[in-house]
């Protein structure tokens, strides 16, 4: 049987150069963990409570590892994305439509946060009006998506990973100029809260970390990168085991990068912005960094924010397209869909609504979508009829259930505290 050029060889293990070739999908999905919502949550937490919530960032990253691995495993073993699997299993047409509607709203909320983040960055760097910054962010994300549609998954990965490098440099530069207190950082690993506001910020950090569209996207990314066809199929699960072994490395590297950057943002705010007024907004954090650490560090931060908005917006649009095609079995051209989903973000910017308020509200909407993505993922990956011999072990399922309960509970707390004013 002839083999696809994308198929890995049937016998040698995925090591060395071949292992590197298999990496990539998790790095793209991991961009979702470094979007403007994360920046706002981590910077605000560090400025308001110092090192108190270090443990929340670490815990969120550990849970994210398990969740993203399960998403990738579903895509590799079934050859389908999570929305496709759910679309096949939800028999009711209205049930599929209802599920799609909540997932679509979540994808649009994600887009709002990412476009606003890019617009704020362009405003900080070049003084552009927020509306025009949003338009430019949307156009650039469409260009990136064109790479995916015309050049394929590998080229799309290369562009997004390049932006990821810019994000890492931009957000981590300040920590060199203002190193954190090592003892206080270690002390922050002890789980605790200090009042209602710290609970709200902890929920915001986790809500901005484990996001529904990253769960949907990862299964789609590995499906596109490693398509399951008659040409790529192997006997005895050899293909799946090789790809899952590489995926564990891929997810580990991606979440190590994302977790480190998120932690650095909180530590930078704790060491440089603690007690400084106005740091509960992206503009305020930029101004505080400029005044405290100099214009170079502040500019790098703004460049990182811009790359964050552009990269995460592209990945979010990719996820939204997959949600629609998987659940409704409707394939809308990616660029046309992208143009439509830009409207809410541009309307918010054009109406002059406070960008920070819009970011906060978008995180609340994202919180509604967590259970609908996370619970089905854990349930499906634990079932033999879905994954066969690759179904979750009992310990993995228990870990997924524990993470689901914890995240859903905290997101309910986030919604409650936001609605009631804490």
């Amino acid at each position: 049987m002839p083999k696809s050029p994308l198929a890995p060889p049937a016998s040698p293990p995925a090591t060395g150069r071949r292992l590197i070739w298999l990496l990539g999908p998790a790095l793209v999905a991991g961009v979702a963990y470094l979007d403007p919502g994360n920046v706002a949550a981590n910077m605000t937490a560090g400025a308001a409570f110092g090192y108190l919530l270090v443990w929340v960032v670490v815990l969120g990253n550990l849970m994210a590892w398990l969740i993203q691995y399960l998403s990738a495993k579903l895509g590799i073993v079934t050859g389908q994305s999570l929305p496709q699997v759910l679309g096949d299993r939800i028999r009711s047409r209205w049930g599929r439509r209802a599920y799609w509607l909540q997932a679509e709203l979540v994808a649009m909320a994600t887009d709002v946060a990412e476009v606003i983040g890019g617009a704020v960055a362009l405003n900080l760097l070049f003084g552009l009006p927020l509306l025009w910054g949003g338009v430019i962010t949307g156009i650039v994300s469409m260009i990136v998506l064109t790479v995916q549609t015309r050049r394929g998954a590998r080229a799309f990965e290369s562009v997004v990973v390049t932006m990821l490098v810019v994000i890492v440099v931009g957000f981590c530069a300040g920590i060199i100029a203002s190193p954190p207190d090592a003892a206080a950082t270690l002390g922050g690993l002890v789980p605790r809260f200090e009042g209602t506001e710290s609970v709200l910020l902890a929920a915001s950090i986790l809500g901005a970390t484990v996001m529904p569209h990253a769960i949907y996207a990862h299964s789609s990314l590995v499906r596109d990168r490693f398509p399951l066809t008659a040409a790529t199929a192997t006997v005895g699960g050899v293909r799946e085991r090789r790809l899952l072994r590489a995926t564990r490395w891929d997810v580990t590297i991606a979440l190590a990068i994302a977790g480190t950057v998120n932690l650095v943002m909180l530590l930078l705010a704790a060491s440089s912005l603690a007690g400084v007024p106005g740091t509960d907004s992206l503009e305020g954090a930029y101004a505080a960094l400029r005044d405290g650490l100099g214009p170079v560090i502040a500019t790098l931060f703004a460049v990182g924010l811009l790359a964050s908005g552009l990269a995460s917006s592209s990945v979010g649009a990719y996820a939204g397209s997959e949600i629609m095609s998987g659940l409704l079995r409707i394939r809308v051209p990616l660029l046309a869909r992208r143009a439509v989903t830009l409207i809410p973000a541009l309307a918010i910017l054009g109406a002059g609504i406070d960008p920070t308020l819009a970011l906060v509200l978008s995180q609340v909407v994202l919180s509604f979508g967590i259970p609908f993505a996370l619970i089905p993922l854990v349930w499906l990956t634990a079932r033999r009829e879905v994954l066969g011999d690759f179904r979750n072990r009992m310990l993995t399922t228990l870990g997924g259930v524990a993470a689901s309960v914890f995240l859903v509970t905290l997101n309910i707390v986030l919604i409650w505290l936001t609605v009631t004013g804490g």
Side-chain angles (χ1 to χ4, degrees):
M1 181 180 294
K3 292 190 176 183
S4 161
L6 291 176
S11 52
T15 57
R17 185 178 301 175
R18 186 159 299 279
L19 174 60
I20 294 174
W21 187 89
L22 296 175
L23 303 180
L27 290 170
V28 175
V31 166
Y33 294 85
L34 295 171
D35 79 342
N38 291 87
V39 180
N42 289 314
M43 297 293 283
T44 301
F49 290 98
Y51 301 89
L52 178 72
L53 299 180
V54 166
W55 68 274
V56 177
V57 177
V58 175
L59 178 63
N61 211 58
L62 292 175
M63 290 191 294
W65 188 98
L66 176 61
I67 292 165
Q68 293 305 134
Y69 174 70
L70 293 181
S71 176
K73 181 167 75 167
L74 181 71
I76 288 171
V77 177
T78 66
Q80 293 183 301
S81 67
L82 176 58
Q84 282 179 306
V85 175
L86 289 171
D88 290 342
R89 298 182 74 88
I90 300 175
R91 302 299 182 187
S92 166
R93 176 183 299 179
W94 287 105
R96 284 197 306 273
R97 289 175 177 174
Y99 192 97
W100 165 79
L101 181 59
Q102 63 80 28
E104 191 68 46
L105 290 174
V106 165
M108 292 176 69
T110 302
D111 208 42
V112 166
E114 291 156 354
V115 172
I116 286 176
V120 170
L122 287 170
N123 175 262
L124 295 174
L125 288 168
F126 306 110
L128 286 178
L130 290 175
L131 178 58
W132 284 110
V135 171
I136 292 173
T137 300
I139 291 174
V140 174
S141 68
M142 293 175 75
I143 294 172
V144 174
L145 290 171
T146 301
V147 173
Q148 197 275 337
T149 55
R150 295 188 177 181
R151 302 291 298 276
R154 287 285 288 177
F156 181 59
E157 286 173 14
S158 298
V159 173
V160 175
V161 170
T162 300
M163 292 185 184
L164 179 62
V165 173
V166 177
I167 294 169
V168 172
V169 174
F171 289 153
C172 294
I175 206 72
I176 299 174
S178 180
D181 184 301
T185 301
L186 290 175
L189 293 173
V190 179
R192 64 194 190 281
F193 295 106
E194 290 181 2
T196 302
E197 187 182 354
S198 67
V199 177
L200 176 60
L201 281 171
S204 298
I205 291 171
L206 290 172
T209 298
V210 182
M211 291 195 291
H213 79 284
I215 300 174
Y216 296 126
H218 203 164
S219 58
S220 309
L221 289 163
V222 295
R223 178 208 60 195
D224 292 348
R225 178 78 123 76
F226 311 115
L228 178 60
T229 64
T232 62
T234 58
V235 179
V238 175
R239 167 192 177 272
E240 288 82 359
R241 287 186 174 85
R242 182 182 301 113
L243 291 177
L244 290 175
R245 186 162 52 246
T247 294
R248 284 191 286 271
W249 279 104
D250 194 21
V251 175
T252 299
I253 293 170
L255 270 298
I257 293 171
T260 299
V261 175
N262 278 314
L263 184 58
V264 164
M265 284 189 283
L266 187 146
L267 295 178
L268 176 62
S271 63
S272 303
L273 307 182
V276 178
T279 52
D280 56 349
S281 68
L282 294 173
E283 299 93 335
Y286 170 84
L289 288 174
R290 182 192 59 209
D291 296 340
L293 300 180
V296 173
I297 297 298
T299 299
L300 288 173
F301 171 80
V303 170
L305 179 63
L306 177 59
S308 167
L310 294 174
S312 55
S313 180
S314 301
V315 175
Y318 171 88
S321 176
E322 182 58 37
I323 289 168
M324 176 176 282
S325 64
L327 289 166
L328 299 186
R329 302 183 177 96
I330 297 174
R331 179 69 69 175
V332 177
L334 191 54
L335 295 183
R337 188 186 186 286
R338 178 66 183 129
V340 173
T341 56
L342 277 174
I343 294 174
L346 296 181
I348 289 173
L349 292 172
I353 297 173
D354 177 36
T356 300
L357 175 62
L359 279 174
V360 171
L361 293 178
S362 72
Q363 299 308 305
V364 175
V365 175
L366 288 175
S367 301
F368 281 104
I370 284 286
F372 295 99
L374 188 51
I375 294 173
L377 175 69
V378 175
W379 180 71
L380 288 169
T381 53
R383 299 186 69 82
R384 178 180 286 275
E385 65 265 31
V386 179
L387 295 188
D389 292 339
F390 294 97
R391 72 189 187 282
N392 297 341
R393 297 178 181 178
M394 180 61 70
L395 188 60
T396 303
T397 299
L398 290 175
V401 170
S404 300
V405 171
F406 184 74
L407 285 169
V408 170
T409 301
L410 266 182
N411 277 287
I412 291 173
V413 171
L414 171 61
I415 294 169
W416 172 258
L417 293 176
T418 302
V419 171
T420 61

